[in-house]
Structures are given as structure tokens and as C-alpha cells.
Amino acid sequence: MSRHFVTVLKKMPNFAASNQTNKNLNTIIIMRQRIILLAAFSALSLASFGQAGMSDNEKKYLVYTVQPNQKPVTPTAAAEQSQQQPEEEKVDSMNIWFPFHSLCDWQPGMRFMVIPDKKDLVIKTFAESSTGRMVSSASLLHKVMVYKGHDDGNGGLHEHVNFTCEETGTDYYYEVPTQSFDDYCFQKFGIPTLAYLGEVDSAIVNLKGRKLVTVADRYYIDDPKTSDGWTEIHDVPKDSEVEVVAVGVGTRSFPVKIVVRDNTGRQFFQNVAISKTNSGLRDEELGISNMIVHTFDGSFKLADDNLSVHPLYQKYVGNVVYTLANTTFTTADNMSVSLPRLTPLTVKKVRSQRGSEYAKMTLCDETGKTYTKDVLFSNKNRIGVEDPQSKYFVENIFALGNPTTMKGVRQNFLDDMRKGIVRRGFSADEVRLALGSPSSTGKAGVSTVWYYKTPSGSVSKKIYFNSKTMKVTKINE
């Protein structure tokens, strides 16, 4: 609080000594409250745009628009360097980059920054654990709170959600406004004032340096001369290509501040909610017209219309694969066709799909005909053979290679292999093409035995090999 505001407060009449009427007292109270709030907002504004005494977290997460021929508001080159991230892609979709974390699922170590709304300056959020005394949200502005778990509040009526301040090491708690944490955590309320930094960190890694295309009708530029600290602009043409030059923290509801630069050098930003972790907003609220711009899809789209080039994608793109079973594809004219086992196909591209865990794989056959197939790359859904999604896992649909050119695979038996027929004299590679990898292997005298089992676990087929030549000598079904 500035000296000016302190002086004004000292000059205000003392309530206890005043002989004013109740009406005058009420007027004085209102005036003092307004001055306190004005002082607090002044402090917030100064903290937002000041350069001296910033913590490392503030230097990393507080970013601002910089216009041509304007000196940066952010203080040091070290802050810029702290945001440099590898260009290698980490994930294959927005859903995996920005997973939603319900309060029920929070894990110790999750980090949040205190970004008070206006109402939070009056209603205190946290109490210091050692004393139980409530503390001002303004005093915690831009501090990073690290989640420690929850407890029963030492037998109190309300449970505590516990944090440690990263900068000071002081412990704080938020008192759940119901008796049961389990009842509270499933709701969208979350913890007031806290912007989820996990979402911001993911955006720094995955969005900074990317080309985006504008889709919103309004954006913002930082302006310390205004009471809000920003000015709204409406002259950004839709479908303009821009580059993400900085990513930082926005607000509790819209935690990711994306700063972009257009081809004229002008910078502007949008605060967006992506995962909605601790945003305090219901899904339907973000569907309201004036809120849609504060979602990623409501403000931007990726210029190449592709979410990433995941290392798993690179394993397949440009290479030849073959089908492991009769497989249904979609043709370029949107017709459904089935291709037989061991059909060789070249993978042309793989594209993630916004709002879906499936990626679209585009392939072509030896004649140049194009097909597409929706597949899964993430192992998080691999529950087992009974998993209804297992048939969509890329590893269960394709294998790398071309059966028509594989060394040791005789082409005159390829039709048998497609039908799952094994004959005496087949090599191990030919058996694997015909039946897949064995469920288990063993020995029977001088022979090597491959066992193939049904989903129930019973043996359906035994293939005997000469252990020296690894050629099939006997087939038991």
C-alpha cells in the first residue's frame, strides 16, 4: 500500500472517538473500505508490471505483450531463457497435453499460483497452518502453492486441503466448506485463487514457438495504464497466422496466457482454459458466447491442422506396414472396404484429432489407392484382450514390414499364410505371418514347440519345429 493511501487512512475519523450519527458512521465505513480496495488493486497493478524484486516463479510465469519498438515489460533475459523449451513433441493430442485433474485426483506436488479475483481481496482463502489465522490473498499474490494432500482438520468440523508455499516454505490450508472432502471434491468449485501451473507448464512446452491461426473476434494487449491492466482489441482479422512468442499464467478461470505475434510484429494475448483443472467453471459456462473465446479452440487453431508429430507416429510415417487381420478401412470417397491379412500398405501421414484420443492414419496400397483408419497410440487404455478398444490399438492392427518382400518368406505360400494355414517346411517367419506370435514356447525332445491358445487359455494349436533348422515338422490342432 502506497504512502499516499496510508496518509489518507490516518486522516479518516476514528470510529470509537467519533460523535457522528449512525448515518455518518456508515458513510465513513464505506469510504474506508473503498480506499482499502483501491489501495489493494493499486498494489496488484504495481506487482503485475513491476520489475524489481520479482521471484523466479514470477519471472517465468508472468509474461506480457511487447509491441514493436517497445521495451519488454518482463525484467531480464534470464526470464526469457527460463522459458526456452525443447522443440521435440511430447504428446499426441490436446487431451493428453492437458488432462483434467479433479480435486479428488490431485497428487502431492501439483503446483498452483495464487491469482486473486477482486472478490478474493475481501474474502480470505487460506489460513496459516501453524496459527490457524486467515491471511490476506493480496499478501500471497503470485506465490506458488504446492499441494500436500488433505486431512480432517485435526478433528474439526471441516476438512483441510493443505499446501506449502514454494517461495517461503510456509504451510497453509484451505478449509473445505462442507464436512466431507469427498463430497466437495467431485464438484467444480475447486480451491479459490489458484491457477493450475501444470497446465501452464505443458503449454510452455507444447505451444511456445508454434504457428497458430486466429479464430476469435477479440484479443487483448497488456496496458498498465488501465485499471484492469489490459485493453481489448477487435481488429485482428480471422484466419491470421500468428506465432506463439510467450506462454505464462493468466487467471484462475483461464490459467494459460498465450502471447502471439502477427506478421506486422504486433503482439496480443488470450487467457484460455484448456483442461479446466480448478477453473471453478462448469463445462456449460464455457459454452456461453462471451466465454468461448477463453477456450483454446475458441481463440486459435494450429496452422498445420495437426496436433503433433509424436515419436510413435514417426515410427510409422513413410514406412510400409501390413495388416495383422482382415481390416476395415475408409476410402477417399468415404466408402468402407475390408482388406485381407498381410496386405502391405505405405503410411502417408498420421493426424491427431482434436477432442479425440484417436489418430487418423492415411495409407496407400501398391496401386496408389488411399485409405484411412482411426487408431489408438496411447497405452493408457490397454486393459487386456477383453478391452473393447483393443482392436483399435495400432500394434494390434499393423506390423512393420512387407510380407511380399520379406527374406525367407515364399510368395507361393502367401495365400496360405493369409488364411492362417501352416504347412510342413514353413519357416518360423512364415508361421508367424500365418498365425502371429505364439502364446508360449517349449521343448519336446529334439523339437521346439510353439503353443497357440484361445482367449480362455486352452491350447488350440501346437507347431513343432526342428530345433536346428527351425522348419515345421509337425502340426497338432
Side-chain angles (χ1 to χ4, degrees), residues 111-115 193-198 249-252 255 278:
R111 302 167 69 245
F112 302 81
M113 180 172 278
V114 179
I115 306 288
T193 78
L194 296 184
Y196 177 46
L197 291 182
V249 69
T251 67
R252 181 239 175 146
N278 201 53

Side-chain angles (χ1 to χ4, degrees), residues 62-111:
L62 303 183
V63 298
Y64 304 95
T65 52
V66 180
Q67 307 312 325
N69 302 319
Q70 175 187 340
K71 293 183 179 181
V73 178
T74 45
T76 63
E80 287 293 320
Q81 185 176 2
S82 71
Q83 295 186 26
Q84 297 300 320
Q85 300 292 336
E87 294 183 0
E88 179 184 355
E89 302 296 344
K90 301 298 182 184
V91 291
D92 62 351
S93 74
M94 293 289 279
N95 287 337
I96 299 178
W97 286 347
F98 304 102
F100 170 71
H101 296 284
S102 163
L103 177 56
C104 304
D105 303 322
W106 285 11
Q107 299 296 316
M110 291 177 66
R111 302 167 69 245

Side-chain angles (χ1 to χ4, degrees), residues 22-93:
N22 290 337
K23 181 178 179 179
N24 290 336
L25 283 174
N26 290 335
T27 301
I28 293 169
I29 292 171
I30 292 171
M31 291 176 64
R32 288 182 63 135
Q33 288 177 339
R34 287 178 177 175
I35 291 172
I36 292 171
L37 284 175
L38 185 59
F41 283 123
S42 175
L44 286 177
S45 179
L46 290 172
S48 298
F49 291 93
Q51 298 185 8
M54 295 181 74
S55 69
D56 290 340
N57 282 324
E58 288 175 315
K59 292 174 183 177
K60 177 178 181 179
Y61 292 114
L62 303 183
V63 298
Y64 304 95
T65 52
V66 180
Q67 307 312 325
N69 302 319
Q70 175 187 340
K71 293 183 179 181
V73 178
T74 45
T76 63
E80 287 293 320
Q81 185 176 2
S82 71
Q83 295 186 26
Q84 297 300 320
Q85 300 292 336
E87 294 183 0
E88 179 184 355
E89 302 296 344
K90 301 298 182 184
V91 291
D92 62 351
S93 74

Side-chain angles (χ1 to χ4, degrees), residues 30 39 175 183 194 270 343 410:
I30 292 171
E175 187 174 283
D183 290 338
L194 296 184
Q270 195 76 279
T343 299
R410 293 166 293 177

Side-chain angles (χ1 to χ4, degrees), residues 152-160 179:
D152 63 1
N154 296 320
L157 292 177
H158 302 295
E159 296 186 48
H160 291 172
Q179 292 188 12

Side-chain angles (χ1 to χ4, degrees), residues 158-220:
H158 302 295
E159 296 186 48
H160 291 172
V161 184
N162 300 309
F163 299 89
T164 296
C165 178
E166 191 169 270
E167 289 84 354
T168 66
T170 305
D171 291 335
Y172 297 91
Y173 66 82
Y174 170 73
E175 187 174 283
V176 176
T178 64
Q179 292 188 12
S180 169
F181 173 84
D182 292 333
D183 290 338
Y184 183 80
C185 72
F186 283 106
Q187 304 176 63
K188 291 286 187 178
F189 300 139
I191 310 298
T193 78
L194 296 184
Y196 177 46
L197 291 182
E199 189 165 330
V200 180
D201 289 333
S202 182
I204 290 173
V205 172
N206 295 297
L207 297 180
K208 188 176 178 184
R210 279 186 171 273
K211 297 291 187 180
L212 304 178
V213 174
T214 59
V215 300
D217 59 0
R218 64 183 180 274
Y219 295 90
Y220 302 86

